[in-house]
Amino acid sequence: MEHIVIIGNGIAGVTTARHIRKLSNKKITLISAESEYFFSRTALMYVYMGHMKFEHTQPYENWFWKKNNIDLVHGYVDQVNPEEKVVTLSDSTSISYDKLVIATGSKPNKFGWPGQDLDGVQGLYSKQDLELLEQNAPNNKVCKRAVIVGGGLIGIELAEMLRTRNIPVTFLVRESSFWNGILPSGESQMINEHIMEHHIDLRLNASLQEIKPDENGRVKSVVIAETGEEIVCNLVGLTAGVTPNIDFLKDSDIELGRGVKVNRFLETNVKDIYAIGDCAEQHEAIGNRRPIEAVWYTGRMMGETLAQTLCGNPTEYRPGHWFNSAKFLDIEYQTYGWVFPEKTKMDNEMHFHWRHPHKKLCITIAFDQSTQIFLGINTFGIRMRHEIFDRWLTEKRSIDHVMAHMADANFDPEFYRTFESEIVSKFNVQFGKNIQTQKKSLKRIFHIA
């Protein structure tokens, strides 16, 4: 019986195992050093915040794996030997395979800062990171101030977590505005305001120079590179992005870049070895996507795709239109298609931006100036329907069609209708249009069959 070994039990690895089992009776071994059982990584913050227990983050009961004949091994892979088709664990255990799937995810970036390995300095990615955070920042008596380095989604999650325990937070963001490498300026500015309204000390244009130790080898302070200011703190959260977790492969024959290099079938250069999820790097990016996509849903899609190939149905990875979602404190964010920030915006890309005058609600819509084709949308605080935007992008609908039928895509039609005339009027004035919104029957608005 063919034996498939999967290294990593995150969403990519587990999805692969589950779908292989749906399609075949192949022997499956799932190896993980992080946790014995799969858990939802995005839920870690809610454990610290007291909204759930860790066991509530496990989507499957512990008996699920045995019932589905998926063997779990709790251990760290030290080495992969492609010639002998063997992986070796840190305890010297060897496991042979017929086909190997590398799904080892990411690890927090470290950029060689002095003091980056001190006690009290950590990332927020793994179960172990959550456990370490409970030690480093159990309350505001032990942790009198935290400094977070890096203005991404993990950084803002960590800030929110710490503030629920009334721990003061200073947030160092080297850019001139939060996440402005991803967001257009209007949205980025709104998030700046929102962060500060939550009593987080946001420092823009501020990067880390060094982390200083106390006499016991724990973090005592950080120094800001641009100003030389020293900030006393008990915790430093390193959240300046992640990098593929592939160090254990450096002595193998597997081709590596920043990640494990793969083709459209998620195959490496070595026969019978594949890579998926955060650690996989496409030789050539797919459309406007990045070669490495550290995103939950792409890991799941890669797992589903690879399972088909491993079960005799070779299938290319085709992720479709880009979409993503996140939360900035209590603001929900969704994006569909492509809405680039000003510095990377395409020549023909035009933006329409609307923001509520008082609430933290806004939309930015991108379209092609020449063809008038809808390119993408960002929404903050407004929930939209994925299937409708996905269809509009596939059909290459015009911006006029999207503006006229926006109520169809909104989860809360009453909310949209409240501001519909204001939004469309602003669009018409800005672009010299005369869009008339379509009146919808209740049956169409609520998608009643």
Side-chain angles (χ1 to χ4, degrees):
M1 182 185 298
E2 185 175 59
H3 184 198
I4 298 176
V5 171
I6 302 169
I7 308 175
N9 75 342
I11 186 62
V14 163
T15 301
T16 307
R18 286 181 49 247
H19 282 261
I20 291 170
R21 181 53 69 238
K22 288 179 181 180
L23 298 167
S24 76
N25 65 350
K26 297 176 188 292
K27 179 176 171 60
I28 304 171
T29 299
L30 197 56
I31 305 172
S32 172
E34 181 180 11
S35 61
E36 187 173 359
Y37 298 107
F38 169 59
F39 67 92
S40 174
R41 192 173 305 283
T42 55
L44 284 179
M45 64 184 294
Y46 300 110
V47 177
Y48 182 88
M49 293 163 70
H51 298 176
M52 59 174 63
K53 295 181 179 179
F54 181 77
E55 54 264 33
H56 299 156
T57 70
Q58 296 176 198
Y60 307 103
E61 298 290 350
N62 293 348
W63 50 258
F64 172 89
W65 309 100
K66 186 173 182 180
K67 179 182 177 182
N68 286 276
N69 199 23
I70 298 172
D71 296 330
L72 302 181
V73 174
H74 193 199
Y76 181 83
V77 175
D78 263 344
Q79 190 175 23
V80 174
N81 186 332
E83 287 187 6
E84 297 182 13
K85 288 194 167 183
V86 167
V87 299
T88 304
L89 308 187
S90 56
D91 65 0
S92 300
T93 300
S94 292
I95 301 174
S96 61
Y97 64 85
D98 294 301
K99 292 184 178 175
L100 179 67
V101 179
I102 300 165
T104 47
S106 300
K107 60 181 182 178
N109 282 331
K110 291 184 176 181
F111 295 106
W113 295 295
Q116 68 182 17
D117 296 317
L118 291 170
D119 290 340
V121 181
Q122 67 166 98
L124 181 65
Y125 182 84
S126 67
K127 177 176 181 284
Q128 286 77 12
D129 290 335
L130 176 67
E131 293 165 348
L132 187 58
L133 188 64
E134 283 287 0
Q135 297 175 31
N136 287 329
N139 53 54
N140 58 8
K141 293 181 181 178
V142 172
C143 183
K144 299 185 184 302
R145 176 167 292 275
V147 172
I148 297 172
V149 180
L153 295 176
I154 297 176
I156 203 164
E157 284 183 0
L158 180 55
E160 180 178 4
M161 292 162 66
L162 294 167
R163 289 302 297 139
T164 63
R165 299 196 184 186
N166 295 315
I167 295 171
V169 174
T170 295
F171 203 172
L172 304 186
V173 175
R174 67 178 181 176
E175 291 80 18
S176 59
S177 187
F178 185 87
W179 225 35
N180 65 359
I182 304 292
L183 300 178
S185 58
E187 300 169 353
S188 178
Q189 176 57 34
M190 187 179 79
I191 299 302
N192 292 340
E193 297 168 13
H194 195 59
I195 290 170
M196 291 185 284
E197 286 168 3
H198 279 74
H199 307 290
I200 295 167
D201 177 25
L202 177 63
R203 305 290 190 95
L204 300 172
N205 295 305
S207 55
L208 177 64
Q209 178 174 302
E210 66 173 311
I211 305 168
K212 291 189 171 183
D214 65 12
E215 62 277 8
N216 298 314
R218 286 193 63 85
V219 59
K220 136 182 123 167
S221 64
V222 302
V223 177
I224 297 178
E226 288 75 10
T227 62
E229 179 186 357
E230 185 172 355
I231 301 174
V232 175
C233 59
N234 310 102
L235 171 75
V236 176
L238 299 183
T239 63
V242 294
T243 193
N245 183 23
I246 59 171
D247 289 347
F248 70 103
L249 297 172
K250 287 182 177 175
D251 294 328
S252 72
D253 294 325
I254 300 168
E255 183 182 357
L256 307 176
R258 286 187 57 236
V260 182
K261 292 281 195 174
V262 295
N263 62 17
R264 293 293 193 262
F265 290 90
L266 305 169
E267 300 166 317
T268 71
N269 63 308
V270 177
K271 181 176 170 55
D272 295 329
I273 298 182
Y274 307 80
I276 56 175
D278 293 14
C279 69
E281 178 181 2
Q282 289 283 331
H283 283 285
E284 295 180 5
I286 300 173
N288 288 323
R289 290 171 176 267
R290 296 179 178 181
I292 299 172
E293 290 187 325
V295 180
W296 183 91
Y297 87 89
T298 56
R300 176 179 54 78
M301 292 174 66
M302 287 184 197
E304 293 174 359
T305 300
L306 181 57
Q308 292 288 332
T309 296
L310 293 173
C311 293
N313 178 29
T315 304
E316 282 192 42
Y317 172 58
R318 294 179 177 174
H321 300 297
W322 170 254
F323 74 93
N324 201 6
S325 62
K327 281 190 73 178
F328 295 91
L329 300 163
D330 52 356
I331 299 177
E332 289 191 43
Y333 158 70
Q334 293 176 293
T335 183
Y336 303 95
W338 298 106
V339 183
F340 292 108
E342 282 78 3
K343 53 186 160 187
T344 58
K345 196 164 69 169
M346 295 181 289
D347 291 342
N348 257 4
E349 183 179 336
M350 299 293 292
H351 284 182
F352 167 67
H353 179 72
W354 172 85
R355 179 176 172 182
H356 190 282
H358 309 298
K359 299 178 181 179
K360 294 296 188 293
L361 306 169
C362 74
I363 59 173
T364 303
I365 304 176
F367 63 97
D368 187 288
Q369 183 178 21
S370 299
T371 65
Q372 297 292 291
I373 289 174
F374 168 62
L375 299 175
I377 183 169
N378 289 349
T379 72
F380 287 80
I382 308 168
R383 296 187 66 205
M384 295 291 190
R385 298 181 185 276
H386 172 245
E387 67 275 11
I388 291 181
F389 282 116
D390 196 64
R391 186 172 74 241
W392 286 347
L393 288 164
T394 297
E395 295 171 349
K396 297 187 176 181
R397 289 289 189 174
S398 70
I399 182 61
D400 291 10
H401 177 91
V402 170
M403 294 303 299
H405 295 84
M406 189 71 78
D408 276 357
N410 199 289
F411 265 109
D412 183 359
E414 289 301 327
F415 165 84
Y416 188 75
R417 282 204 299 272
T418 302
F419 300 103
E420 188 170 19
S421 59
E422 177 188 332
I423 293 170
V424 174
S425 175
K426 180 178 179 182
F427 178 83
N428 285 338
V429 169
Q430 183 173 339
F431 295 103
K433 301 269 190 175
N434 186 30
I435 304 297
Q436 301 296 315
T437 57
Q438 303 298 308
K439 292 184 178 180
K440 310 296 179 188
S441 68
L442 286 176
K443 186 173 181 179
R444 287 193 64 191
I445 289 172
F446 292 102
H447 301 275
I448 301 170

